[in-house]
Each structure stands twice: as structure tokens, then as C-alpha cells.
Amino acid sequence: PEDEQLWSSLPDPDEPPPVTETGLLNLYQAIRTTMAEEVKIVEHVFPNPGTVIQIFLRRVFNQSIQQYLEALLNRAAAVSALAFLRVLKLAHSQTASLVEFLKSYDPSTSLFRYSENRSTNNTKPGGATSSAPGPSIALSMMLDGAMEELFVPYTEGQRYMERELKSLNELFVMNLYPFGKWHESLARTKGGGGFFDRFKNQLTNTAAATSAATGNATTTAQAAQAFIKYSGITTGFNKEGEYQPVEEDGKLKMSVAGKMLKWHAESIGRCVELSTQGDLPKNVFSLMRILSDAIGRGYAETALETAQNKLESRDPKLEPEYSTLSIARQVELICHLWQQYVSVAILPLASSSIVVRREMSIFNNQVIARIEALTSGLLQKLADSQFFTRSLSWNLTSSKIL
């Protein structure tokens, strides 16, 4: 039952990522127990216990662990991109914990004494000692290498980032699906159209720009299916099964922005776990770009542009829609939350690379400047409307008379 719950919740982005997997937990616990027993036997039977322990652990990694991880990750990959990434991060952190345990276990056994004896025996005439590493150091190096070999097929080059960007792309399109459908319907009534397709392609291009080999992004139909599955909405669909948006779907909401930030934070956590120190800054920048395009261009800017189009198409002599002020306020709140997240959770991760850190700051400032310019332009349009101007003049005249 526990595993059934784990596998059912894995593809759901609103469910927390798993911290354990029963089979992997049992396997690693068995390895810990067996290691303690084998060391006691080896130190009394073999003259070179360090070498024997290395051979034993290498077989464990190359056979038992590798076979189980491959089966586990293949099963997760068949579920969804998010499920695969969650299991990959779980397996990586659990394996790292096992490796550290095996390293720390070594000095408490005869291997440590054996290392000291080797160091004494390697003393050369005149007091010089051999520079060859003792078994304890060799064991640590072997364990690090064995773990790296386990995850190279999944993290080498851009393999991991391709999956991460594709997963975020799918999640963001799913989250903004009703919002995009509403604004798309407005654009089509005005002779335009294809907003959601443009937004989908925009996110796809962002993912592709960060990796030349990025896989195909989700289609509108896939986004719709994911939205239906995880949104909990059961009404509002036509005979063809297509979701029919309502006006409420087109409004800016902090909850929608909060979901994107939450999902992105989980992605950043995986990036820190699975990226090398050298690749971390550029990988974080890639994730920052796709978030900016979704929450900035795809969400805030779209609402501002739609509001501006409404003002431009409305008779200037009529009373304008003061909902424009509410939109501007929501954009301000969303950007404030978003920029706090960028400052606290994203930019510090690029501190090891001054160049990338500077590029991230410049990019972020440009995105915010563009949103601020759209907001200012929208408010200026409202202020320039004839009705608004006449109302303001009448109020000022009334004040003077009083």
C-alpha cells in the first residue's frame, strides 16, 4: 500500500516529492548490515582486507545496486518526466548517504590499522615514506567512482537538464492552461488568435535555447489532459472534451503564481542535488529563464496586454474598466513575490561564477523593466481616456467651488 501511494502521487506536482522508496531502503539497509558482517570476516581471513573489501563493494554497486536503480528509473520514466526526476533525485541522495556511511565505517575496522601498518612499512631508508594511498583513501575513491558510474547515464552532459526543462515546460503550460484559453478566446474574437499556442511555443523555445537537444515539448492536447487530471475540475467541457474557460480563469491570481514558484523551487532542489559544482550556475540560469518566460511573459505580460487592448478598443467617451487598476495591483504583488524568490533562492546559487551571476542579474532586470513599462503604459492609457479626464476635471472644479 505504501508503494502504491508513492507511485500514484509521483506524477502529481501538487504532492510532495518522496523521501524514501521501500525497495531501495531495504536494499541499502541490507548492504549496511552485510558490510558490517563481511568486514569482521575479511579482517581475520585475508592478509589484504582493504583490497578484498573494495572488490566486494564494487560487485555490490555493479550488480545489486545498478540493477535495482535501472528498474526503478525505467518504471518512473514510463509514468512521467516529473516522476522520473523525483525518483532520480531520491535515488541519488539515498546512494550518496550510503556511500558516506561506507566511507565512515572504514576507519573503525582493521582497515584503518592496516593503512597505518602500510604507512609504516612503506617508510624508505632515511625516513622517507611512500606516497601511495592507503586502503582507506583508495576505498573512498572507489566508492566515489562507483556512484558516479551509476548516475552518468542520467546526468552526463545535458541529459538531466533536458528532462528538467521539459518537465517544467509541461507543468507551466498545464498550470496556465485555463488562463491561456481565456485570453486566447478574447484574441480570436478580435481577429487575432492562437495565444495559447504562442505561449506554448514560447516556453518550448526557451527550453530549446538552453539545450540544443531538448526533446519535443508538450502539445496543447497534452496540457489539457494534464490540467483535467490534476485540476479536479469536472465541469466546463464541451462535447469534444475541450475545456471552455470562464472569465474567472483569465484573472491574475497569487495562487497560480505561487504554484509555479513552488514547482520551480522543487526543480531547483533537484538541480542542486544532481548538478556538478561547475555546471550549477548555468543550470540554475536555464531554470531561471523558463520561470521568467512563464510567470513574466506568459502570465503577467499577457494580462497587461489584454487589458491594454480592451482600453484601446473601448469608446473613449464611455467609462473605462477600472478593473485595470486591479490588474496592475496583482501584477505588482506577483512580481514582488517572484523577485523575492529570485533574490533568496536563485541568485545565490550562481555566486561561484561571477560572469553567470552578472548575466542572471541583467536578464532579470530586463524582464522586470519590460513588465514595469507595460504597467505604466496601461495606467497611462487609463489616465488619457476622455471619460477619466472629464471626471478628474469635474472633481477638481467641484473642490474649488467648495
Side-chain angles (χ1 to χ4, degrees):
E2 183 179 351
D3 277 349
E4 290 180 4
Q5 182 179 2
L6 181 147
W7 287 102
S8 63
S9 63
L10 266 180
D12 187 350
D14 293 326
E15 292 289 333
V19 294
T20 59
E21 195 276 326
T22 304
L24 189 65
L25 184 66
N26 292 338
L27 174 62
Y28 285 179
Q29 185 57 46
I31 292 174
R32 288 182 172 92
T33 303
T34 303
M35 176 68 175
E37 296 172 352
E38 290 296 324
V39 165
K40 293 178 182 179
I41 297 174
V42 167
E43 68 180 353
H44 290 96
V45 175
F46 296 94
N48 298 319
T51 302
V52 176
I53 288 297
Q54 288 183 51
I55 295 173
F56 167 72
L57 287 176
R58 184 171 293 280
R59 288 179 177 175
V60 169
F61 273 82
N62 291 344
Q63 296 176 13
S64 302
I65 296 179
Q66 183 175 351
Q67 291 174 5
Y68 190 85
L69 287 183
E70 286 179 353
L72 189 67
L73 290 168
N74 287 337
R75 180 181 178 184
V79 176
S80 71
L82 178 62
F84 174 86
L85 291 168
R86 284 178 161 182
V87 171
L88 180 62
K89 194 258 185 183
L90 165 66
H92 191 276
S93 61
Q94 293 283 315
T95 306
S97 176
L98 174 65
V99 166
E100 290 305 312
F101 170 83
L102 295 175
K103 287 180 181 180
S104 63
Y105 192 91
D106 182 47
S108 66
T109 68
S110 63
L111 298 183
F112 179 67
R113 297 193 298 272
Y114 177 74
S115 178
E116 289 180 328
N117 293 335
R118 278 289 303 275
S119 178
T120 303
N121 294 337
N122 287 341
T123 302
K124 297 180 179 179
T129 58
S130 171
S131 59
S136 180
I137 299 176
L139 179 61
S140 296
M141 294 174 62
M142 185 279 295
L143 289 170
D144 289 336
M147 179 174 173
E148 183 178 354
E149 290 174 3
L150 286 176
F151 293 96
V152 160
Y154 313 105
T155 60
E156 187 179 24
Q158 289 296 311
R159 292 178 182 178
Y160 157 67
M161 281 306 298
E162 288 169 13
R163 289 180 180 269
E164 193 69 74
L165 293 171
K166 184 173 184 287
S167 174
L168 270 181
N169 178 48
E170 293 173 349
L171 292 177
F172 288 160
V173 171
M174 178 194 74
N175 194 37
L176 297 181
Y177 180 75
F179 176 84
K181 291 292 290 182
W182 170 256
H183 287 272
E184 181 184 40
S185 65
L186 291 181
R188 284 177 176 169
T189 59
K190 299 177 184 298
F195 161 79
F196 192 70
D197 288 335
R198 292 199 304 273
F199 169 63
K200 173 176 64 67
N201 292 334
Q202 185 180 56
L203 286 179
T204 303
N205 292 336
T206 301
T210 56
S211 173
T214 299
N216 294 329
T218 181
T219 63
T220 305
Q222 289 172 324
Q225 292 171 2
F227 169 71
I228 293 170
K229 183 176 182 179
Y230 297 115
S231 65
I233 296 177
T234 57
T235 60
F237 300 93
N238 60 18
K239 295 180 179 179
E240 290 73 27
E242 183 179 1
Y243 180 69
Q244 300 299 302
V246 296
E247 185 177 1
E248 187 68 20
D249 293 328
K251 295 181 180 180
L252 291 175
K253 300 174 184 177
M254 289 294 291
S255 59
V256 173
K259 270 191 176 184
M260 287 191 282
L261 294 179
K262 176 186 174 182
W263 296 341
H264 192 270
E266 181 184 332
S267 178
I268 287 291
R270 285 192 296 267
C271 184
V272 173
E273 173 75 29
L274 299 171
S275 298
T276 63
Q277 288 300 314
D279 290 338
L280 182 60
K282 66 178 183 180
N283 288 348
V284 169
F285 193 10
S286 297
L287 295 175
M288 177 183 171
R289 285 179 181 274
I290 202 168
L291 173 65
S292 297
D293 273 352
I295 201 171
R297 293 181 179 177
Y299 199 45
E301 291 185 27
T302 296
L304 291 171
E305 290 172 355
T306 300
Q308 186 167 351
N309 290 336
K310 282 185 176 181
L311 284 178
E312 291 175 348
S313 61
R314 192 176 180 83
D315 188 343
K317 296 180 181 179
L318 298 177
E319 182 177 3
E321 294 187 14
Y322 291 105
S323 60
T324 300
L325 298 175
S326 175
I327 293 173
R329 176 57 175 165
Q330 283 297 105
V331 168
E332 180 186 7
L333 293 175
I334 289 172
C335 286
H336 178 70
L337 179 63
W338 168 27
Q339 289 307 297
Q340 276 193 322
Y341 170 72
V342 169
S343 299
V344 174
I346 297 182
L347 292 179
L349 295 176
S351 57
S352 61
S353 174
I354 298 177
V355 175
V356 175
R357 177 69 166 76
R358 185 187 301 115
E359 291 177 354
M360 292 173 67
S361 297
I362 294 173
F363 172 80
N364 187 62
N365 291 338
Q366 290 174 343
V367 172
I368 294 301
R370 187 170 60 247
I371 294 176
E372 290 176 346
L374 282 172
T375 305
S376 299
L378 177 63
L379 296 177
Q380 188 62 49
K381 286 280 185 183
L382 178 63
D384 290 344
S385 66
Q386 295 182 21
F387 182 90
F388 190 86
T389 304
R390 287 200 308 270
S391 298
L392 182 61
S393 299
W394 185 85
N395 289 333
L396 290 174
T397 302
S398 300
S399 300
K400 289 180 181 180
I401 293 175
L402 295 175

